[in-house]
Amino acid sequence: MVLVTHDDLDGVACAVLFKKLFPDGVVYCESYDTVNDRVKQLVAEQSPEVRVYIADISVNPEIAELLDKRGNVVLFDHHETAMWLNRYDWVRVSLDRCGAWMLYDRLRTVKRTLFWDSYRDFIERVDDYDRWVHRFPESRLLNRLLGILGRERFIARFLANPSLVFTEFEEYLLEVEEDRVRRYCEEQYVHLSCDAGGRPYGVCFAENYISELAHYLMEKHGLEYVVVLGLRGTSRSPYGKAYLRGRMCDVSAMAKRRGGGGRAATAGYALSPDAVREVIHKLWEEA
């Protein structure tokens, strides 16, 4: 069994569920600019007898056709930019639940075991954070813990113990990290402007605490949306991530035009070096 998933909290939660049911399964956590190459590689190297799960992330039309010919694949996603994939009978894209919750429902039908009930609270908090519902205060802390522990330790922790009651040491780590995040957000420069529709927005450069920073800036400056630009991964490839506070526009449309994906409230995309230079020049001219 193979799982290809996103590299954020929702995607890593998919990895937890997958490894719980398939301990020997192989997991790849990918970004939007690496997922198509990864899946294409799997199609070329893996036997069609190997079932491939794809969750919380989608593929482009070329890769979708390859998967359709290969078969033995299922894809679950919840982003507006992936709705077109519903034309395939092996795909389910729905906007009302995060990718981990959709995978959770599917895996429970594959193997009905008692341990699934113990992951219910975990999945609800992941959904709360990923879809920006903000109903549970601990959902933000769950994402924070992922940042502290890193992907592998986070997966190991929740494979061993799905409880959201943090240990004393985890509480200490979260408290220290809270102070670090607060200082980081306060120190970042944001360029404020209004778009053609008169909506106030901000643009900033950052590589850490992206969602926390976006939320902080929107609250502090009363912005409708924020675009965070930065560098990602060992390749240091430029990317942009947009966050929306209200419902007056759809940032996923902006991401889709740039080859990315996401939801109306938050979306990401890769940036070319020319696009980065264009943004920098624009900020310099308006300074």
Side-chain angles (χ1 to χ4, degrees), residues 201-224:
Y201 71 94
V203 178
C204 65
F205 293 86
E207 296 185 45
N208 301 309
Y209 312 119
I210 304 301
S211 60
E212 290 93 340
L213 175 61
H215 184 75
Y216 170 83
L217 294 174
M218 286 188 287
E219 291 298 319
K220 179 180 179 180
H221 299 288
L223 304 175
E224 186 63 29

Side-chain angles (χ1 to χ4, degrees), residues 90-259:
W90 44 270
V91 172
R92 184 184 170 212
V93 179
S94 177
L95 308 182
D96 59 351
R97 288 188 172 184
C98 73
W101 203 328
M102 297 173 73
L103 183 64
Y104 172 81
D105 286 340
R106 175 58 179 262
L107 293 181
R108 286 202 306 171
T109 66
V110 173
K111 188 174 183 180
R112 297 185 179 275
T113 57
L114 293 176
F115 67 68
W116 288 123
D117 290 340
S118 64
Y119 280 92
R120 178 77 179 193
D121 288 347
F122 173 72
I123 293 302
E124 282 188 342
R125 271 59 176 184
V126 171
D127 180 78
D128 182 70
Y129 182 84
D130 192 70
R131 296 195 302 119
W132 278 51
V133 179
H134 302 308
R135 187 159 59 99
F136 301 106
E138 62 268 30
S139 62
R140 179 178 61 87
L141 298 178
L142 194 60
N143 185 70
R144 185 72 49 78
L145 190 63
L146 171 59
I148 297 170
L149 298 180
R151 187 183 304 152
E152 297 305 320
R153 288 190 178 94
F154 184 90
I155 292 173
R157 191 282 197 201
F158 284 96
L159 280 175
N161 178 17
S163 173
L164 294 176
V165 178
F166 300 121
T167 67
E168 183 177 349
F169 184 59
E170 288 170 345
E171 291 278 9
Y172 169 75
L173 292 176
L174 289 167
E175 184 178 338
V176 172
E177 188 73 354
E178 183 71 28
D179 289 339
R180 185 179 289 118
V181 172
R182 176 182 53 79
R183 292 195 302 270
Y184 184 85
C185 291
E186 291 173 351
E187 292 169 357
Q188 300 310 304
Y189 168 77
V190 58
H191 177 78
L192 304 176
S193 188
C194 289
D195 63 19
R199 295 179 289 259
Y201 71 94
V203 178
C204 65
F205 293 86
E207 296 185 45
N208 301 309
Y209 312 119
I210 304 301
S211 60
E212 290 93 340
L213 175 61
H215 184 75
Y216 170 83
L217 294 174
M218 286 188 287
E219 291 298 319
K220 179 180 179 180
H221 299 288
L223 304 175
E224 186 63 29
Y225 58 94
V226 167
V227 178
V228 182
L229 306 175
L231 300 174
R232 173 171 46 207
T234 56
S235 65
R236 312 307 290 153
S237 56
Y239 73 93
K241 189 135 190 181
Y243 293 84
L244 174 68
R245 181 169 65 170
R247 287 293 181 265
M248 296 177 64
C249 60
D250 180 353
V251 295
S252 70
M254 175 177 61
K256 186 176 181 179
R257 290 196 298 270
R258 291 163 174 81

